[in-house]
Amino acid sequence: MEYSLADENSSFVIPDDIPEYDGCIFLGWSTSTDAVSAQYKPGDTLYVGTQDITLYAVWKKVVSIS
């Protein structure tokens, strides 16, 4: 990943890569560790300014009924 110094207008485009996690569907990204819905999707632009932001993957468990 490429890093640069941020200014008040800094933005970040969320990569289109979709992570995988067995038994789950990827819903998107959130700034909350316990989110059940995504704030951001791949391809979205996130305006960060000069603040540090951590994004967490949001997953939905797939349930098999047999």
Side-chain angles (χ1 to χ4, degrees):
M1 176 147 296
E2 185 177 320
Y3 295 95
S4 61
L5 294 176
D7 63 27
E8 64 275 356
N9 298 315
S10 291
S11 63
F12 173 77
V13 176
I14 297 173
D16 289 330
D17 300 337
I18 305 290
E20 294 181 16
Y21 186 56
D22 285 342
C24 295
I25 297 171
F26 176 69
L27 299 178
W29 300 98
S30 177
T31 56
S32 173
T33 59
D34 58 355
V36 293
S37 63
Q39 291 173 274
Y40 306 102
K41 304 274 187 191
D44 284 354
T45 300
L46 176 62
Y47 294 95
V48 296
T50 57
Q51 62 189 346
D52 290 338
I53 294 178
T54 301
L55 294 178
Y56 300 93
V58 180
W59 302 98
K60 181 175 183 176
K61 185 139 179 92
V62 176
V63 178
S64 304
I65 299 174
S66 49

